[in-house]
Amino acid sequence: MNGEYSLDTTEGMAASGDPPTNNAVDDYDAEEALERQREEENKIKIKLKSFEGGVYECGLTAAKMSVMVANMLDALQETDLTKIATREPIPLQNDAVTNKALEKIVEWVDHHWDDPPIDPDFDDEKERRNEELSHWDKQFIDIADQGELFDIIAAANFMDIKGLVEVGAKHICNKIKGKSCTEVREMLKIHNDFTPEEEAAIHKENEWIYAKD
Amino acid sequence: MCNPFDSIDSIGSIDCIPFPIYLGFNWWTSRGIDSTSSIDYNTDSKAIIMSRNETQNMRSRSNHTIRPQVRGKDSLDRFGDDLCRLLLSYLPLEDRFRYECVSKQWQRLIYETQTELSFKYRSLDSFGVNINDKESVNEILDILDYLSPINVLS
């Protein structure tokens, strides 16, 4: 009886003591392995085809930052990933995906492919929202031609690349900061579809905020 | 197989068809996949096509009723409500009040993503509306329709 009991406790101790450390090692290993896999996969190049017909090459991990492209690749159920490289280019059927826009998008995902993927379970949305753009992103998105800038944002939105849409949105918000309504309209070429009376009414309603200036 | 574009075999002709957006996807994925599994994909992508068409309809309707003229590529008016809402969600509250009168689209969307209010030193956000100034606070709460429950932190 006694012997059996002591055997039980040692077993119990082993059971309660070991798994957590094992799990931690497993987690670490899994993370490492995933990172290595992402790195390997990014060496595989796939081709993306713009709306205008231009074909651009991009690492697989980088391309998967586009949820749309990732879904398309998943739908293929291709187990041998290297075969994806030999496939025909993926057509991106939206008129915002011009050659220039796609070139810039490929540049962005190639730079950001090793960012930690956004974890939907972990709510860091608010933090990311308030984060300043990195120096690289700032230079990347500072595009003189507004049509091209809007193309990139619309194309990134179409391809479902959250990070890039965010960069674009933050850039535009930074640009209009502190401007008046008229200046914003001029800058972003927005058509004023209010009648003068309607506009005056809104002005009056929000008068207290203008009074602060 | 209900994919109407199975007969089209050159990628060039697909390019000429503007809508639905996912046509290329449909065609592309159905290649090299056996027929049993591609039926699944067809139903899947059909659902996507329908939802795409729906939002597109909504956008074009609002374009027709509110902005009949075709806008240039460098005009923000080309963005649909979804993208515009996302963009405006990065504005601080103070700017939202100021930019409400930019256009009807902005007026419609600008407060939708303001789901939080923060108070600093007993005053509202960055502009000094005192929390005890009930009239002003009520006025603000009237405008902000989309607030989730408010937490007042000290």
Side-chain angles (χ1 to χ4, degrees):
Chain A
M1 271 301 267
N2 240 350
E4 262 174 46
Y5 179 76
S6 65
L7 199 83
D8 265 347
T9 46
T10 47
E11 250 179 26
M13 268 169 71
S16 65
D18 276 344
T21 46
N22 262 349
N23 276 348
V25 171
D26 281 352
D27 276 355
Y28 183 73
D29 278 355
E31 233 169 73
E32 277 263 282
L34 194 72
E35 228 163 79
R36 233 171 300 141
Q37 190 199 341
R38 279 162 58 89
E39 214 174 301
E40 280 307 308
E41 276 186 16
N42 206 41
K43 285 178 189 152
I44 302 168
K45 300 290 174 207
I46 66 161
K47 297 185 206 85
L48 302 172
K49 189 176 175 193
S50 81
F51 191 72
E52 296 171 331
V55 175
Y56 295 87
E57 258 194 3
C58 172
L60 183 60
T61 315
K64 278 186 173 173
M65 290 186 86
S66 156
V67 177
M68 192 191 94
V69 171
N71 286 343
M72 284 164 101
L73 292 172
D74 277 350
L76 284 175
Q77 292 190 321
E78 183 73 76
T79 41
D80 183 3
L81 289 172
T82 48
K83 276 192 187 157
I84 287 179
T86 60
R87 279 187 173 262
E88 293 181 47
I90 301 175
L92 300 165
Q93 303 286 320
N94 183 298
D95 61 357
V97 193
T98 58
N99 284 343
K100 268 187 183 167
L102 187 57
E103 199 186 333
K104 286 290 271 183
I105 287 175
V106 167
E107 188 192 334
W108 191 86
V109 290
D110 266 341
H111 184 265
H112 281 274
W113 72 269
D114 56 351
D115 284 0
I118 295 167
D119 186 352
D121 298 329
F122 180 63
D123 190 21
D124 54 355
E125 163 97 23
K126 225 174 125 186
E127 228 168 87
R128 278 192 300 115
R129 207 159 258 285
N130 296 327
E131 228 169 67
E132 275 261 328
L133 292 181
S134 72
H135 183 68
W136 192 91
D137 279 339
K138 263 187 194 157
Q139 281 195 328
F140 169 85
I141 203 71
D142 193 14
I143 298 158
D145 180 354
Q146 193 160 274
E148 200 187 321
L149 171 68
F150 288 170
D151 269 344
I152 292 171
I153 298 174
N157 185 48
F158 165 73
M159 290 170 74
D160 207 347
I161 309 174
K162 249 197 168 140
L164 182 51
V165 179
E166 205 176 279
V167 169
K170 280 183 184 171
H171 175 67
I172 292 181
C173 285
N174 279 339
K175 258 178 32 173
I176 62 175
K177 205 167 269 174
K179 299 251 183 332
S180 73
C181 267
T182 332
E183 283 170 321
V184 169
R185 260 186 236 124
E186 258 165 38
M187 198 166 162
L188 303 177
K189 301 207 166 36
I190 296 170
H191 174 64
N192 181 9
D193 45 11
F194 286 116
T195 61
E197 294 82 39
E198 282 172 325
E199 204 184 329
I202 300 169
H203 264 285
K204 199 161 185 240
E205 219 178 76
N206 294 347
E207 208 165 32
W208 53 274
I209 187 113
Y210 299 104
K212 299 243 166 275
D213 298 339
Chain B
M1 293 282 288
C2 36
N3 183 348
F5 296 98
D6 271 350
S7 56
I8 301 173
D9 45 20
S10 95
I11 192 157
S13 50
I14 291 275
D15 281 346
C16 314
I17 303 165
F19 260 97
I21 298 162
Y22 274 75
L23 275 184
F25 172 39
N26 214 343
W27 170 86
W28 193 69
T29 51
S30 60
R31 305 189 90 206
I33 293 168
D34 62 63
S35 54
T36 43
S37 57
S38 75
I39 289 171
D40 289 336
Y41 294 126
N42 277 340
T43 45
D44 256 338
S45 45
K46 262 219 181 101
I48 299 170
I49 290 172
M50 275 168 66
S51 63
R52 281 275 165 182
N53 273 344
E54 230 175 271
T55 50
Q56 196 59 33
N57 278 339
M58 279 161 56
R59 279 177 209 166
S60 53
R61 224 182 301 133
S62 78
N63 276 342
H64 281 301
T65 50
I66 301 170
R67 300 186 300 272
Q69 47 291 68
V70 178
R71 293 272 130 203
K73 268 181 103 80
D74 57 349
S75 158
L76 199 82
D77 287 342
R78 65 184 276 208
F79 286 179
D81 279 5
D82 295 345
L83 190 46
C84 201
R85 182 186 299 116
L86 189 76
L87 208 143
L88 296 176
S89 72
Y90 289 93
L91 285 177
L93 182 59
E94 193 180 342
D95 282 348
R96 292 184 203 229
F97 288 119
R98 182 174 293 125
Y99 297 148
E100 189 186 336
C101 57
V102 166
S103 74
K104 283 188 178 163
Q105 188 188 32
W106 281 40
Q107 185 191 31
R108 188 166 68 235
L109 306 170
I110 204 156
Y111 297 121
E112 272 189 31
T113 44
Q114 184 74 45
T115 52
E116 274 183 18
L117 260 189
S118 56
F119 293 85
K120 273 180 208 141
Y121 305 114
R122 304 183 66 76
S123 71
L124 186 61
D125 224 317
S126 52
F127 44 108
V129 171
N130 194 291
I131 195 168
N132 294 324
D133 180 358
K134 287 217 174 66
E135 209 172 294
S136 299
V137 172
N138 276 340
E139 215 168 279
I140 292 166
L141 294 181
D142 267 352
I143 297 171
L144 304 176
D145 267 344
Y146 296 88
L147 288 181
S148 48
I150 305 168
N151 294 319
V152 179
L153 306 168
S154 61

